[in-house]
Structure formats: C-alpha cells, structure tokens
Amino acid sequence: MSDDRCELLCLDLDHAEALRVALPGDDALRARAEVLRALGDPTRLRIAHALSVGDELCVCDLAWIVGSSQGLVSHHLRQLRSAGLVTSRRDGKLVMYRLADAGRRVLATVAAPVAGPA
C-alpha cells in the first residue's frame, strides 16, 4: 500500500459533507483555473513580474525586458488580458500594458516563497 492513502476507512461524514457543499461550483473553479493557467507559463509569469515592477510598459519594452520577440510577448499579453490579469490602453501609436488589480493580487500570491519539501 502507498504512503498517501489511509489504511482504514474513517469518514467523518458530517464534516466531509459540510466541506464538500462549501466548495465553489464548477464554473467558479473553471474561471479560477483559467486565471492560474494564464500565469502557468514562465514567459507570462516573467511579463507579469515586469509589469508589477515597471507599472506600465509597451510591448517593445516588455520584449526587451523578458528577452522574447514582440510577437511572442503580444501573444502572451493577449492571454493575460483574456484572463483579466492585464489591462491595456492606446497612447498614440503605442499600446501600454499594466497589471490589473486582480493580476496584482494573483501575482502576489503565486510569487510568495514556497517552502520546500520537509
């Protein structure tokens, strides 16, 4: 038997059912997973970090900062924007990007140091 399974069935039904019912619904969980998936790519996470420090940046600056092509950075920015993590505004011929409030909150959570295995 593996170490990650109980050797005895000991279900606290009242407690377990209360927790099961309190879980978010499938739609809410899908939306949250989509947000987390948006930051699941190292380049997108790097872009988000750059925006958290640089506040508002254009694609040209972001491409230079993260070491990727403008086309690839634009692609990743679209995904971040679709997930509600990034906002953009046009400034003449430039498009400026910044982290949305939700992006700042999620980035602060995922950027926190993670303890290694015990």
Side-chain angles (χ1 to χ4, degrees), residues 21-92:
V21 171
L23 288 175
D26 288 345
D27 291 341
L29 289 173
R30 270 191 216 80
R32 292 174 189 178
E34 204 52 44
V35 167
L36 294 174
R37 192 174 298 118
L39 287 177
D41 177 271
T43 301
R44 288 192 293 274
L45 190 54
R46 190 176 291 117
I47 290 168
H49 274 288
L51 288 170
S52 74
V53 175
D55 190 42
E56 188 175 58
L57 299 165
C58 72
V59 175
C60 302
D61 289 337
L62 280 166
W64 174 259
I65 292 165
V66 304
S68 295
S69 71
Q70 288 184 33
L72 182 62
V73 169
S74 292
H75 168 74
H76 286 302
L77 284 166
R78 277 190 299 278
Q79 291 180 303
L80 291 168
R81 192 174 56 224
S82 291
L85 300 175
V86 168
T87 62
S88 63
R89 69 174 180 85
R90 183 163 286 285
D91 184 12

Side-chain angles (χ1 to χ4, degrees), residues 4 12 19 21 37 42 64 67 71 76 82-83 91 102 105-107 114:
D4 58 352
D12 180 348
L19 292 173
V21 171
R37 192 174 298 118
W64 174 259
H76 286 302
S82 291
D91 184 12
R105 287 191 304 272
V106 173
L107 185 62
V114 177

